[in-house]
Amino acid sequence: ELGLTGSADPPPPPNPCTAPGLPILTDDSGDSLTETPGTDLKSLELAQPYSSDGSLNLRFELDTDPGLSQQPPDSYWYVSFRETDGTVHGVRMWFDPSSPNVPTFQSYIAQGNTSGGVDGRFVESGSEKPADPTSFYDPATGTIVIVASAADLGLKAGDTITGFNAASVQAVTTPVLGGAETLDEMPDGLAYQGSFAVQANEACAPDTAPSAALNASPRSGSVPLQVTFDGSGSSDPDAGDSVASY
């Protein structure tokens, strides 16, 4: 009797060009301050998928426990981050009280709270911009994806984000730290952690197969016939790539 054992190939390492991207933050499960489904944060990943139109976009993925398709009005889930000049930008999924049936996805510039600090919870009036329409919420899996233009986030290729935080938030009628109570924070205390280097869109371009071109000379004749083949017309369409041999 012959016993065979097999092992699965290990998963590929996280890649900033492929969703969900690089792991940025993680959080313990079961620490939401409410029993509302979908408010328990688990992780944040960030990717920069290639855009065929040349635009530079960032894809933020927040993972939570399974949630509700319609969350309480004025509740929101956000990611904020510090840029090298100290400015804090953010993206969020917000259940706008004026249209609470579907979430609104947007980017924004953060403003300070009543204690003078900036932790991403509060939006500078007039700074909101709609996120890319590919943004979505899947309550069954607790997946929140917000895609935003790098330009709307004040970023360009070569910039470095110097810290992230995230939270699930509900509005309160009695002001608590500025009128928004965090239900779960990542990390606890909302200190900024982690970093991310913004690449050029071309850095994530797919690897296109080279095009082979072979020329024979002469193309006809009587046997025996000596034919010379030339592959120098072969090419690789990817920028910076060339045909190594033919």
Side-chain angles (χ1 to χ4, degrees), residues 128-155:
E128 307 95 323
K129 295 182 179 180
D132 189 88
T134 58
S135 304
F136 69 89
Y137 176 43
D138 182 356
T141 60
T143 303
I144 301 168
V145 170
I146 306 172
V147 180
S149 161
D152 287 349
L153 300 172
L155 296 167

Side-chain angles (χ1 to χ4, degrees), residues 6-132:
S7 60
D9 292 334
N15 185 334
C17 298
T18 305
L22 300 181
I24 302 296
L25 299 172
T26 57
D27 189 53
D28 293 334
S29 297
D31 58 347
S32 173
L33 299 181
T34 179
E35 295 182 358
T36 302
T39 59
D40 189 15
L41 301 183
K42 295 182 178 180
S43 62
L44 166 67
E45 293 88 23
L46 180 55
Q48 191 185 318
Y50 175 71
S51 297
S52 59
D53 63 2
S55 59
L56 190 59
N57 298 314
L58 271 66
R59 179 189 188 276
F60 300 81
E61 180 172 322
L62 267 177
D63 298 308
T64 74
D65 63 310
L68 304 172
S69 58
Q70 186 174 340
Q71 294 283 359
D74 215 15
S75 59
Y76 57 97
W77 288 248
Y78 78 85
V79 177
S80 77
F81 49 90
R82 290 190 182 278
E83 302 186 11
T84 51
D85 64 358
T87 304
V88 175
H89 284 255
V91 295
R92 69 175 183 171
M93 177 182 75
W94 174 43
F95 283 83
D96 184 348
S98 66
S99 180
N101 294 331
V102 293
T104 297
F105 300 95
Q106 55 188 197
S107 62
Y108 62 93
I109 298 174
Q111 72 173 18
N113 54 35
T114 55
S115 63
V118 180
D119 55 24
R121 278 180 295 165
F122 304 104
V123 177
E124 181 181 297
S125 179
S127 71
E128 307 95 323
K129 295 182 179 180
D132 189 88

